[in-house]
Amino acid sequence: MTEVDDAPVIVCGAPGSFARSVLAERHPALIEQVRDAFPWSPERHRALDALLRSSTEGVVEPLGPHAHDRERWDAWGAEYFGRSWFDVPFLWAESYFYRLLLEAVGYFGPGPWQGIDPFAPFKRAELRGSLVDDELAALDVLARRPVAERAAAYLQGSLWGNRADLSFTVGSRTADGGTDDGSDGSTEARSGEDPPPLVADDSEALWSLLPTGGSPGAARTVHVIADNSGRELIPDLVLIDHLLASGRADDVVLHAKPYPYYVSDATMTDVVDCARRLAQASGEAGEAGRRLWAAMGDGRLAVRAHGFFCAPFPYAEMPDELRRQFDGAALTIVKGDLNYRRLVGDRLWSPTTSFAGLTAHFPGPVAALRTLKSDVIVGLEPRTVARLEDAAGDGTGRAWRTSGTHGLVQVRT
């Protein structure tokens, strides 16, 4: 029997599971937040009410007959329609929930709500917040550190920025029972303080793939598959600026979502908003932002948004035209928890399963920067797993997988 056969796909119905809590608690709370964020019409309120009933008490139903992508989702969901939401794969259920949420608010139109990001108020509030000011100011302090130390801090900042995921704060609790407002994630790595320990750290392998200077005549392209906007995307952009300014990369391709997804996932609008927030700042942050603005203008930083990034499938099933984009890259950096689940497969792997083996399908070298916020984890040493399970203190030994308090850098060269 193969390793894949041994690892069951994560479904939503297991009592007490993280996946079940997302469907039963986080999604209803999100619907209520979206309801309050805009003066929706009665039609939109009815659609949101219907989504709430369906996703908590009903069964999975097809998109309406006029949905522009109904045929695609009919094929993707043929074996799940008519079944309880709690009886289908977690990755598929989450992705389809967000597609239905956009349908409920009229995002794809036609009508006056067409193109209105239902998560925009949450994203804008975060981007305007004082925490962003503090984190940008920390770049001035960091500028006085040695080059190697700055590079390490930029990488750590990008990783721990993943703790500022807005969807993680909706109805979530920290390991000690308090409300996690996402406010403690990224400042520490960029202000010179010691970040929390990593469960796996292949940082040296990552940097070995991107030496400064490069090879004469050989252009090096780095791809970054973005996760969240706001306080995660800003440190991602700072890291990208470092790669370009230091000569570790000749050009960078940033992959965003083609439309709103998973509350705070970055779209092109979010990329522009975050780049502008940097460029309008003072000090080192402003200089980085203006360099990035110029890099977008001259093509050294390209932004792409392939539809597959909103599809309910692992990256092993990416279409050939997307696969070709990653061919020949010096490195692809995969950000965040959802992208990690899609990279290795959303299954209940043994945590000691080989990361290199599960990512062999990905074209070219790949690095995962992730804060742990779901059950999927691979590539750990047995002694690390034993230590984490002993320290979990939750009776199951699994709280460390979903609390957002642990992170990793994993690389397959």
Side-chain angles (χ1 to χ4, degrees), residues 218-277:
R220 286 181 299 176
T221 300
V222 174
H223 290 254
V224 178
I225 302 179
D227 189 32
N228 302 299
S229 59
R231 288 180 57 229
E232 178 171 1
L233 185 57
I234 283 180
D236 291 346
L237 291 173
V238 170
L239 176 62
I240 289 170
D241 172 65
H242 166 73
L243 296 178
L244 292 170
S246 65
R248 293 182 182 272
D250 297 297
D251 52 83
V252 174
V253 179
L254 178 62
H255 297 270
K257 299 296 190 300
Y259 51 80
Y261 194 63
Y262 276 73
V263 186
S264 55
D265 278 24
T267 65
M268 184 62 188
T269 297
D270 301 317
V271 172
V272 173
D273 286 347
C274 288
R276 180 178 288 114
R277 180 74 160 88

Side-chain angles (χ1 to χ4, degrees), residues 74-335:
D74 277 356
W76 291 348
E79 63 182 301
Y80 306 129
F81 295 139
R83 295 165 60 178
S84 166
W85 282 83
F86 296 91
D87 191 34
V88 302
F90 183 36
L91 180 63
W92 192 93
E94 276 198 294
S95 189
Y96 191 52
F97 170 84
Y98 282 100
R99 174 61 187 88
L100 290 178
L101 182 58
L102 292 185
E103 194 71 12
V105 299
Y107 178 84
F108 292 108
W113 293 104
Q114 185 178 41
I116 300 297
D117 183 347
F119 314 126
F122 317 141
K123 296 175 179 178
R124 291 170 184 158
E126 183 186 60
L127 203 56
R128 291 194 300 262
S130 61
L131 285 169
V132 173
D133 293 329
D134 294 341
E135 290 164 356
L136 296 183
L139 293 175
D140 293 331
V141 177
L142 188 58
R144 298 192 290 270
R145 302 294 182 90
V147 173
E149 190 173 331
R150 292 204 305 271
Y154 296 143
L155 185 65
Q156 290 277 335
S158 179
L159 188 162
W160 290 111
N162 185 232
R163 291 171 75 176
D165 174 357
L166 290 173
S167 69
F168 187 60
T169 69
V170 175
S172 66
R173 312 293 291 179
T174 61
D176 62 1
T179 300
D180 185 341
D181 64 0
S183 64
D184 61 348
S186 50
T187 305
E188 56 204 344
R190 291 190 299 283
S191 64
E193 300 176 17
D194 291 334
L198 304 180
V199 300
D201 188 1
D202 295 339
S203 298
E204 289 188 10
L206 185 152
W207 292 123
S208 73
L209 293 168
L210 303 173
T212 56
S215 304
R220 286 181 299 176
T221 300
V222 174
H223 290 254
V224 178
I225 302 179
D227 189 32
N228 302 299
S229 59
R231 288 180 57 229
E232 178 171 1
L233 185 57
I234 283 180
D236 291 346
L237 291 173
V238 170
L239 176 62
I240 289 170
D241 172 65
H242 166 73
L243 296 178
L244 292 170
S246 65
R248 293 182 182 272
D250 297 297
D251 52 83
V252 174
V253 179
L254 178 62
H255 297 270
K257 299 296 190 300
Y259 51 80
Y261 194 63
Y262 276 73
V263 186
S264 55
D265 278 24
T267 65
M268 184 62 188
T269 297
D270 301 317
V271 172
V272 173
D273 286 347
C274 288
R276 180 178 288 114
R277 180 74 160 88
L278 275 170
Q280 293 177 343
S282 59
E284 291 293 322
E287 292 182 16
R290 289 184 285 275
R291 286 193 297 266
L292 287 165
W293 202 269
M296 293 177 72
D298 64 26
R300 286 178 298 123
L301 173 56
V303 183
R304 299 175 187 168
H306 195 283
F308 182 76
F309 290 116
C310 291
F313 303 117
Y315 287 137
E317 299 180 30
M318 75 172 74
D320 289 342
E321 71 269 16
L322 181 58
R323 182 175 296 276
R324 285 192 291 269
Q325 293 187 35
F326 299 115
D327 283 342
L331 178 66
T332 297
I333 298 174
V334 175
K335 281 297 311 291

